[in-house]
Structures are given as C-alpha cells and as structure tokens.
Amino acid sequence: MPYKNDEKHFIKEKIKDKPVNKKQIVRKVIEVTGYAILFGFVSCLVFCALQSKIESWFAPKNDQWVGIPKDTLSDDEASENSVADSEQETNADTPQKAEKEDKKQKTVYITEKKEMTLDDYQVLQNQLYQIGNEVNKSVVIVTGVKEGVDIFDSPYEATGQASGLIIGNNGKELLILTEYQVIQDVKSIRVTFINNDTLDADLKKYDGNTGIAVLGVPTDKIKKATMNQITTAVLGNSLNLRQGRIVVALGSPLGTNYSILTGNITSVANTITTEDRNYTVFTTNIVANAKGNGVLINTDGEVIGLFLKSSNIQKEQNTLTAVSISELKDIIELLSNGLNVPYIGIKGSTVTDAISKEYDIPKGVYIKEAVVDAPAMMAGLQNGDVIVEINKQEVLSMKDYQRILLKMKKGDEVKITANRQNAEGYKKFTCTVEVGVLK
C-alpha cells in the first residue's frame, strides 16, 4: 500500500558511541611513558659513550697545559726539619707515625770502626746501578734522518743520534726533551723506547740559546705494552746540590746508548753566560766524551742536570759537566707547551752591592755584550749599559731580568730603562725593544 504523500522511507539506524574503558587508557599511558623513559635512558647511555668521539669531531680537544713546578733555594737541614715537623703535626694519630717511632726504636748505632771491603763497595755500586736502570725507563734514543746526494748524484740517508728524556704527557702526546742539533734540518725524527719500540715524532719547539728541544710522540700510536714499560722522569731540585754528592750519568755519556756512569759532584760554583741567561754548571769526576749527552741524576732518581753536545763548556772539560735543571725548568715548560722562548739578546751580569760600591756602578744588570743584530742592539743598547727597569718593573739582578723577559711574547714592545756612563757619570735613558726569538 502506498505511503502517505507518496514519500519513500528507509530504515534508519542510530550508532551509539562505545563506552570509554578507563583501565585501557591508563594501561596505554603507562606503556607509552615506559617506552619514553626507556628510550631516554638508552639515548643517555649512547650519548655518554660517544661524547668524547662527538667532541673530537666538532670541537677538537686542546692540549693540556704542561706545568713544571719551580724550585727555591733552601738549606737541606732546615727543609728536612720542616718536613719532619709538618708530618708530626698532620699525622700525629696515624699508623705512619707509629711505624716511624718503631723504626727509631729499632735503630742500632754502630760505634765500632769497620773498614769498607770490596764487597761493601760492590753493594753500593749495585744500588746505584739499580737506580740508574729504573730511571732509564724514561730515557729514549732520538734519531734524526737527513737526505742527501753523494758525489755520484745518488741519494742517500744520514742519521744522527742523541738521548732524550720523557718529561710529560699533555693528553695527546708524550713529550720528549732532547737536543736540537741532532734533529735540525732533518727529514724525519724517530724515537726509540727502552723496549726498542720505535715511533715517529714531531718537533714542538726548540730554544736557540741552550740548544734544547721538545718533541711530541702521539700517545694513540704507542702500544699499551710500551706504555707499561716506560716512565716519566722526575725533574728534581738542583739548587741545593753540594760538593761531594753521589751522582749517576745516564743517556749516552760516552756515546753509547743507555750507559750508566757513577761519580761525585766536584764543583757547583761555575756559571756560564749565554744570551739573556746565566746558568749554574756542575762539574763531576766522571769522564766526559765530546759525543756524549744525557742527564745527571741524584740518589733519589731525580734529574738534576743536563749535559749537552751543544754546550760550549763541555768542549773545555775532560770530565762531565751539566747545566742545572732547576734553571732550565721555565724554558722547558715553554717548549713543552709549544711556546717560543722570548729573546732580546744581551749577555749580562748582576751588579751586586759590593760591586756597586767598589766601582761606583748603579745596581742592576750590567751588559757585558749586546749581541750583534739582536733586538737589544737594534734598539740602541750598548756594552757597558746598566739595565734598571723593564716596563717600569725594577731590575736588580739577572734573575729579575730573566723572570720579566719570560713573560713576554714575540713581537711585544718593551720599555727598557738603563744607565749609560758619560763624562759626568751615569745618566738614565729609555729605549723600546721589540722582543724576538733566537733561531
């Protein structure tokens, strides 16, 4: 039967929303949160593991500054007493003090005179050689390789050798102290460690005055076995060295690698005057060799001196002479950090109170020689002038002069005030010196 108004009707269906399941929603939120936490934790672990690598890609790590503590002159007995007092104060209730007291109680003093036998002497020598062998772990052989052409136009390689000393690690390189003359104008530099492992090295910096240089050997190239067999040398305090002290010469004192020679200090009163520096020189009763170089150590195994092929004093002696290590430390620190040694170019000496009164010379640094074509001479300084100020800082000795100069950099302009003698006496004047570098 037709519908009213002839309309067509269809079946109408109403769709109802599904009821909300709160438990499922909570479970889903917890699940997503857990995955987020896990993802964050894993990401953190991965980032921490790769952080150093990422930094090396985008921000290469700078070399660590290599600092070398400076030494002061003090009386041996006073320093020993002060150390003992401080140990008593800080360790009053520690087992170490009790152990020391036990040792004191067990100490036996022998008053009976006994002649030293050959066996006793051999025991002493064995102990000295044991110290030398231990420090030899920080000694290396440095080889410089040069290229040349002979008279038949055939290319060849020539090598020169010197001993070197491991003095530090800047985080990227093992630092080696050696002589510049053996690596000057060479094609390549090789360093051989005590286990005969040989690696290439690069020159960081050298000092044209003393002739010492610092090399760098990449630590990532050194085998773990080699790192376990080598040590870093301890640079000792040579300011308190006295005559008669037992010393050991290492390196190549007679031209043979890893030699060990023993002897005594015969003099500590000699000095050598170089450009901008004065150094104390130790003489020994150890036989010298013109081809030898290396280090001098004390009975504690600490380096107290360097004996160098390039040193003028060695050529005049038939026994080994060494430059005080304490007076070289500031230079070694600059070279170890890839910095130049500032240079003005005078050979001077301190005008002491006695000299000032006797010769009526102003106190300061007396210029014995203004080196030809050096910055000092170019600025107008002459032989006989007395430096009294550098950049308004008082200069009363060569130590003052050296301390102020070492803070300068190549290209710095410094105001030097000096006294110059004329018919009316000494008169002050000021000149400007541009700091250079001695090659």
Side-chain angles (χ1 to χ4, degrees), residues 54-67:
I54 294 172
E55 287 179 350
S56 65
W57 289 342
F58 299 101
K61 186 178 179 182
N62 294 327
D63 293 349
Q64 298 175 7
W65 177 265
V66 179

Side-chain angles (χ1 to χ4, degrees), residues 313-371:
I313 57 171
Q314 190 63 61
K315 299 174 184 178
E316 302 172 2
Q317 302 285 337
N318 56 6
T319 56
L320 189 147
T321 56
V323 180
S324 169
I325 194 67
S326 292
E327 297 172 6
L328 288 168
K329 285 185 176 181
D330 46 11
I331 301 293
I332 295 172
E333 182 174 273
L334 289 176
L335 301 178
S336 297
N337 292 286
L339 301 176
N340 290 312
V341 179
Y343 170 70
I344 288 180
I346 68 155
K347 293 184 178 181
S349 62
T350 301
V351 179
T352 61
D353 289 331
I355 294 175
S356 179
K357 291 178 181 179
E358 183 175 355
Y359 297 100
D360 194 23
I361 301 175
K363 292 185 63 177
V365 171
Y366 181 84
I367 300 179
K368 297 191 291 186
E369 180 184 350
V371 180

Side-chain angles (χ1 to χ4, degrees), residues 152-171:
F152 302 105
D153 292 330
S154 299
Y156 70 92
E157 286 188 345
T159 60
Q161 282 191 347
S163 62
L165 188 71
I166 303 172
I167 58 171
N169 187 330
N170 64 8

Side-chain angles (χ1 to χ4, degrees), residues 395-410:
V395 176
L396 296 176
S397 66
M398 277 298 295
K399 288 185 178 180
D400 291 339
Y401 173 86
Q402 293 166 186
R403 173 179 51 81
I404 297 171
L405 177 59
L406 285 176
K407 296 178 181 179
M408 308 295 177
K409 296 180 181 178
K410 181 181 179 181

Side-chain angles (χ1 to χ4, degrees), residues 253-429:
L254 292 177
T256 304
N257 297 321
Y258 294 106
S259 300
I260 299 178
L261 301 178
T262 62
N264 301 89
I265 295 291
T266 56
S267 174
V268 296
N270 299 315
T271 59
I272 179 173
T273 300
T274 65
E275 297 175 32
D276 294 327
R277 305 278 294 189
N278 289 342
Y279 293 103
T280 300
V281 175
F282 307 132
T283 61
T284 71
N285 57 1
I286 302 174
V287 177
N289 186 305
K291 297 181 180 180
N293 79 323
V295 299
L296 205 62
I297 66 172
N298 57 22
T299 52
D300 292 325
E302 300 170 339
V303 177
I304 55 173
L306 298 181
F307 46 99
L308 311 168
K309 292 180 181 179
S310 56
S311 175
N312 292 327
I313 57 171
Q314 190 63 61
K315 299 174 184 178
E316 302 172 2
Q317 302 285 337
N318 56 6
T319 56
L320 189 147
T321 56
V323 180
S324 169
I325 194 67
S326 292
E327 297 172 6
L328 288 168
K329 285 185 176 181
D330 46 11
I331 301 293
I332 295 172
E333 182 174 273
L334 289 176
L335 301 178
S336 297
N337 292 286
L339 301 176
N340 290 312
V341 179
Y343 170 70
I344 288 180
I346 68 155
K347 293 184 178 181
S349 62
T350 301
V351 179
T352 61
D353 289 331
I355 294 175
S356 179
K357 291 178 181 179
E358 183 175 355
Y359 297 100
D360 194 23
I361 301 175
K363 292 185 63 177
V365 171
Y366 181 84
I367 300 179
K368 297 191 291 186
E369 180 184 350
V371 180
V372 177
D373 294 332
M377 174 176 278
M378 300 297 288
L381 290 171
Q382 301 176 4
N383 297 352
D385 291 345
V386 181
I387 297 175
V388 293
E389 282 184 2
I390 298 179
N391 281 352
K392 297 183 179 180
Q393 298 182 64
E394 188 177 35
V395 176
L396 296 176
S397 66
M398 277 298 295
K399 288 185 178 180
D400 291 339
Y401 173 86
Q402 293 166 186
R403 173 179 51 81
I404 297 171
L405 177 59
L406 285 176
K407 296 178 181 179
M408 308 295 177
K409 296 180 181 178
K410 181 181 179 181
D412 287 350
E413 292 188 347
V414 297
K415 299 286 185 181
I416 294 183
T417 301
N419 282 296
R420 179 172 294 169
Q421 190 175 29
N422 56 29
E424 300 175 356
Y426 281 91
K427 186 177 180 179
K428 278 188 178 181
F429 71 97

